[in-house]
Amino acid sequence: MTDMYDEKKVAEFTLPPYQHEDHGSGDGLGRAKDPVKYLQSLEQRARERQVAIETVRLLRRDVIECYRREGVNHYENCKEPVEKYAKVVLKKDVGQVNPKFKDEGLNYGFH
């Protein structure tokens, strides 16, 4: 048969922020002090973004499955998956792990 209604096996854990290498001098402009570290931090940020997007996709799928399984009783029986989905979606950057920037505007490329 199908494993659609089996209990999901997902580990709950959080990742620490990763190391980030800024551009050049203190103003964040110019060449990177260490180009290799800078590119690695860009790649890591892209991976973290993909993990956040995939997490949202999986949670959305759980909500949809619950709605289909429960039918008209989904208001009462699907409260937990909906709350979990809403908690993640409403976070800044949908829960993406970001480095500790000196200036929070750098998270979005603004100065």
Side-chain angles (χ1 to χ4, degrees), residues 15 22 25 46 51 53 59 66 70 75 88 91 94-95 106 109 111:
L15 296 173
D22 284 325
S25 60
V51 167
I53 291 169
L59 290 172
C66 186
E70 298 298 333
Y75 289 110
V88 171
K91 283 183 186 175
V94 291
L106 293 176
H111 291 284

Side-chain angles (χ1 to χ4, degrees), residues 81-97:
V82 170
E83 287 176 352
K84 193 173 182 181
Y85 173 71
K87 189 173 92 173
V88 171
V89 170
L90 295 176
K91 283 183 186 175
K92 182 178 178 181
D93 289 335
V94 291
Q96 175 183 349
V97 176

Side-chain angles (χ1 to χ4, degrees), residues 6 12 16 32 34 45 53 63 65-66 70 73 82 86-87 90 96 98 105 110:
D6 290 348
E12 294 289 330
D34 187 353
R45 187 163 184 189
I53 291 169
V63 169
E65 286 177 2
C66 186
E70 298 298 333
N73 298 325
V82 170
K87 189 173 92 173
L90 295 176
Q96 175 183 349
N98 285 316
F110 303 129

Side-chain angles (χ1 to χ4, degrees), residues 52-107:
I53 291 169
E54 186 66 18
T55 301
V56 168
R57 190 184 73 76
L58 291 172
L59 290 172
R60 184 180 300 126
R61 187 188 69 194
D62 291 345
V63 169
I64 291 169
E65 286 177 2
C66 186
Y67 277 16
R68 289 179 181 164
R69 182 178 61 241
E70 298 298 333
V72 296
N73 298 325
H74 72 271
Y75 289 110
E76 297 168 2
N77 300 339
C78 295
K79 191 175 259 187
E80 183 183 319
V82 170
E83 287 176 352
K84 193 173 182 181
Y85 173 71
K87 189 173 92 173
V88 171
V89 170
L90 295 176
K91 283 183 186 175
K92 182 178 178 181
D93 289 335
V94 291
Q96 175 183 349
V97 176
N98 285 316
K100 299 293 183 195
F101 286 108
K102 296 173 193 163
D103 178 14
E104 278 301 313
L106 293 176
N107 266 340

